[in-house]
Amino acid sequence: PFGSIWKDKKLGKHFVWKDVTQLYSKIPRQDPAKWCIEQKPERGQLAAQYCCYNNESMLITRGSGAGTPRLVSSLSGLFQYHEMLDLQPWIDCNGDWTKYHAIRPPNIGLNCPQYPDEEEYKLQRQYAQNY
């Protein structure tokens, strides 16, 4: 959904989301994400939410494919700061999402169902820590 406007019923606000799957396709990572979207920052803000989905369009809420809040959105026009504050920490963690999520956890404040299930999540943790 490139440039889609979605209404958040819980917050009663509209948000613009853009498909950013191709933008991050060259970053080395091992995850089940097939497509990702990023919220366009609201006027006067730089931060945004980043969400990823699997083949069945299920939101990945934890584990290796879970999106995280962005300190500086890639859509803000300040990509060099996005690289420094959002991408470089991921690179510094050598793609180990367990380390990255310890400092930048996924935002699941809207109580979305957990995905992947516990068994897959444990396998992902084990794989990441032995990578």
Side-chain angles (χ1 to χ4, degrees):
F2 186 82
S4 298
I5 299 175
W6 294 348
K7 182 174 184 178
D8 185 316
K9 293 175 184 171
K10 198 167 194 173
L11 298 176
K13 295 172 74 174
H14 289 86
F15 295 96
V16 176
W17 292 84
K18 297 207 180 226
D19 185 336
V20 293
T21 306
Q22 291 302 317
L23 183 63
Y24 299 107
S25 64
K26 293 186 175 37
I27 295 174
R29 45 183 227 194
Q30 296 286 331
D31 65 52
K34 296 304 173 199
W35 57 279
C36 299
I37 57 175
E38 189 171 319
Q39 173 193 353
K40 184 177 179 184
E42 295 183 66
R43 180 169 290 177
Q45 295 184 353
L46 295 175
Q49 185 62 42
Y50 173 75
C51 303
C52 294
Y53 297 82
N54 72 359
N55 272 341
E56 290 82 39
S57 297
M58 290 183 65
L59 176 66
I60 301 169
T61 59
R62 63 186 186 161
S64 62
T68 57
R70 300 294 195 207
L71 296 179
V72 179
S73 170
S74 66
L75 307 172
S76 69
L78 299 169
F79 197 79
Q80 68 275 20
Y81 295 106
H82 169 64
E83 284 183 311
M84 180 174 53
L85 298 171
D86 294 310
L87 300 182
Q88 192 59 51
W90 174 261
I91 293 166
D92 291 346
C93 290
N94 293 318
D96 181 348
W97 61 267
T98 62
K99 292 177 184 175
Y100 185 78
H101 285 183
I103 57 166
R104 190 87 51 86
N107 175 1
I108 51 172
L110 295 179
N111 297 319
C112 297
Q114 282 191 340
Y115 181 82
D117 62 28
E118 193 64 31
E119 183 178 336
E120 174 63 22
Y121 181 67
K122 285 179 182 178
L123 285 172
Q124 288 180 10
R125 284 186 69 86
Q126 184 178 25
Y127 181 77
Q129 293 166 345
N130 294 322
Y131 184 66

